[in-house]
Amino acid sequence: MTVKIGLLGFGTVASGLPFLLQENAEKIQQAAQDEIDIAKILVRDDAEKERLEAAGYDYHFVTSVDEILADNEIQIVVELMGRIEPAKTFISRALEAGKHVVTANKDLLAVHGKSLRSLATQHGVALYYEAAVAGGIPILRTLSNSFVSDKVTRILGVLNGTSNFMMTKMVDEGWTYEKALKTAQELGYAESDPTNDVEGIDAAYKAVILSQFAFGMTIEFDDVEHRGISTISPEDVALAQELGYVIKLVGDIRETTSGLSAEVSPTFLPKAHPLASVNGVMNAVFVESIGIGQSMYYGPGAGQKPTAASVMADIIRIVRRLKDQTVGKAFNEFSRPLQLAAPEDVRSEYYFSIVAPDKNGTLLQLAEIFNAEEISFKQILQQVADGHQARLVIITHSMSKIQLENVTARLAKMEDFTLQNTFKVLGE
Ligand code: HSE
């Protein structure tokens, strides 16, 4: 038999699917046990259709989604357009029409995943999205299948290639944020509006999805505190180096005694930590669990062939389940009521960079402020002391989010002190 699929969009990732279908025809046939045929492809307009045809693509291009949704022979719809609309409407209509859906759309799944998943369940169809998190790294199915007997306690991830490329240049070459961004844009990594990549939004979307697979909890996007890399200065980068750390944008999801905490923030990683050597556009997901212990999944988080390989794996899984008559099972069956962590239970070490008068008594004053919140110092460094001003750098012992908030408020009240930056530090 042949299973017909309809593609929504024919950009970078989608145009990688024919390559895999051709190169791996025999292996795919063995796994799927049926032929897979790209029956129709939705493109934007006639101009795009003509451009693709002129480029030698021999497919049935259509410009109206109805031609795919009303086609009873098409059983699987593959959405690779990205962003929320019209993808949300098209996927909802496909599910309602009884079609199985594969997508790589993390924005959509992070914000509307709950309703789309229940729509899929209601209609007994599959909704798979392996490529939505860390593109080419097969992390979702690994969490869902291979971790089935294990209990994940924490996930740390370098989840955005664009910002990781920028951070790598800022750390290794001493580039400024502005220079790193300009180069990322020139190389086509960052979009002309790079907000989602550099402000931790893209990584926070991925953290929402990882929370479901690793902890069974559907956290809302708004509950994932996120902060980007735009405030990191070359001085912070140099100081991190001096203190034995590398700064990266890290997604951190963990289960505390009171519940789940998920955040994305620039983080000081000890140089020996496996995530510290994840450089350039690469992604990695570091998992801590009670069974396997520590494991890390490393690979390309974007790009044509890596992402297409993940999308193809979802398609093949659906085709095989159609054959086995087991289709419709949820991608992830682990589900628990959401319980958010109390801020006093979310604890980390922190870095503070403070500019203060270079005179006697300053350090004592600072020590009193931190002591008032029962925060203890792990490392202190004094820099650029010129008789007028000094930069004081503190790494604290583990402290809670409440203590962080309180000490930041106390520092803000001190006229002589300027708090330049605060970052999370991953303990040894
Ligand atoms: N823009 C993302 C990144 C890839 O730079 O990693 C897709 O999520």
Side-chain angles (χ1 to χ4, degrees):
M1 228 185 85
T2 298
V3 175
K4 292 188 186 247
I5 66 176
L7 303 186
L8 308 186
F10 200 63
T12 311
V13 175
S15 54
L17 299 176
F19 164 81
L20 294 172
L21 275 169
Q22 269 158 29
E23 286 298 306
N24 272 329
E26 202 182 329
K27 185 175 176 192
I28 291 174
Q29 160 70 29
Q30 283 176 15
Q33 299 206 349
D34 270 325
E35 296 291 330
I36 297 168
D37 174 39
I38 301 177
K40 286 180 187 167
I41 301 176
L42 175 71
V43 293
R44 250 187 315 274
D45 49 26
D46 286 333
E48 189 181 10
K49 182 174 165 178
E50 279 157 30
R51 183 178 59 76
L52 290 165
E53 282 165 353
Y57 286 107
D58 183 20
Y59 288 107
H60 183 174
F61 292 108
V62 298
T63 51
S64 162
V65 75
D66 295 331
E67 290 205 45
I68 292 177
L69 299 180
D71 185 335
N72 289 333
E73 289 193 356
I74 292 180
Q75 290 182 275
I76 305 173
V77 167
V78 181
E79 182 273 316
L80 294 165
M81 305 185 310
R83 300 294 158 131
I84 307 288
E85 284 297 356
K88 178 169 174 266
T89 303
F90 292 175
I91 289 180
S92 305
R93 287 182 57 198
L95 296 170
E96 281 160 359
K99 298 188 190 303
H100 309 285
V101 171
V102 173
T103 173
N105 194 328
K106 76 221 79 158
D107 309 29
L108 180 60
L109 288 159
V111 182
H112 299 287
K114 209 193 260 181
S115 59
L116 292 174
R117 283 193 301 276
S118 63
L119 201 55
T121 310
Q122 208 180 312
H123 291 273
V125 290
L127 173 63
Y128 290 175
Y129 40 93
E130 178 62 71
V133 176
I137 307 177
I139 185 63
L140 297 184
R141 199 159 273 120
T142 300
L143 286 169
S144 180
N145 294 350
S146 308
F147 275 83
V148 67
S149 77
D150 206 347
K151 179 184 164 79
V152 176
T153 51
R154 189 174 194 178
I155 285 197
L156 292 159
V158 172
L159 301 170
N160 181 269
T162 304
S163 56
N164 199 45
F165 165 82
M166 291 170 61
M167 283 310 310
T168 303
K169 291 294 182 193
M170 287 159 71
V171 171
D172 291 354
E173 322 270 349
W175 288 9
T176 58
Y177 168 81
E178 288 74 20
K179 181 173 176 185
L181 177 58
K182 191 163 173 282
T183 308
Q185 280 171 325
E186 282 164 4
L187 291 170
Y189 299 147
E191 308 205 2
S192 49
D193 176 2
T195 315
N196 282 13
D197 287 321
V198 299
E199 295 304 341
I201 296 166
D202 176 77
Y205 286 147
K206 293 164 183 167
V208 169
I209 301 171
L210 284 170
S211 302
Q212 290 153 3
F213 282 71
F215 299 93
M217 293 192 204
T218 301
I219 195 164
E220 297 291 332
F221 172 73
D222 289 341
D223 288 325
V224 182
E225 206 179 296
H226 60 269
R227 189 177 155 196
I229 61 170
S230 54
T231 59
I232 302 172
S233 69
E235 290 78 27
D236 294 318
V237 172
L239 276 159
Q241 295 269 48
E242 199 173 320
L243 294 163
Y245 298 93
V246 176
I247 314 186
K248 290 200 176 287
L249 186 67
V250 175
D252 181 358
I253 315 162
R254 50 188 153 150
E255 188 165 358
T256 70
T257 45
S258 53
L260 196 69
S261 138
E263 66 179 338
V264 173
S265 61
T267 302
F268 278 37
L269 295 167
K271 282 182 183 165
H273 193 282
L275 281 178
S277 49
V278 176
N279 288 323
V281 287
M282 298 308 267
N283 283 194
V285 182
F286 183 83
V287 183
E288 292 177 2
S289 60
I290 62 166
I292 295 171
Q294 295 186 331
S295 54
M296 188 165 93
Y297 307 85
Y298 168 86
Q304 184 187 52
K305 288 178 192 161
T307 313
S310 291
V311 170
M312 208 59 232
D314 283 347
I315 297 171
I316 293 166
R317 179 61 66 105
I318 293 174
V319 173
R320 177 56 184 268
R321 285 196 165 162
L322 282 167
K323 177 103 191 163
D324 294 347
Q325 300 190 329
T326 54
V327 80
K329 266 171 45 134
F331 190 15
N332 165 48
E333 294 182 308
F334 183 25
S335 174
R336 294 189 288 162
L338 173 66
Q339 187 90 41
L340 290 176
E344 54 271 27
D345 289 337
V346 185
R347 301 180 65 84
S348 299
E349 297 177 5
Y350 282 93
Y351 156 99
F352 288 81
S353 167
I354 298 162
V355 172
D358 185 15
K359 62 176 193 207
N360 58 335
T362 293
L363 205 55
L364 179 63
Q365 240 182 327
L366 207 55
E368 278 168 357
I369 292 172
F370 279 76
N371 188 45
E373 295 301 331
E374 298 178 11
I375 300 166
S376 105
F377 296 159
K378 184 175 174 184
Q379 266 175 295
I380 299 191
L381 198 73
Q382 177 170 288
Q383 277 209 332
V384 220
D386 60 5
H388 296 287
Q389 282 203 318
R391 178 201 268 258
L392 295 160
V393 175
I394 295 163
I395 303 239
T396 69
H397 279 297
S398 176
M399 56 190 259
S400 73
K401 288 264 177 191
I402 300 274
Q403 287 171 298
L404 175 65
E405 205 175 293
N406 291 347
V407 82
T408 305
R410 279 181 193 268
L411 286 166
K413 280 196 208 130
M414 304 293 296
E415 266 185 19
D416 279 355
F417 293 154
T418 308
L419 176 58
Q420 293 202 306
N421 249 332
T422 316
F423 295 121
K424 188 161 81 179
V425 177
L426 196 70
E428 305 286 338

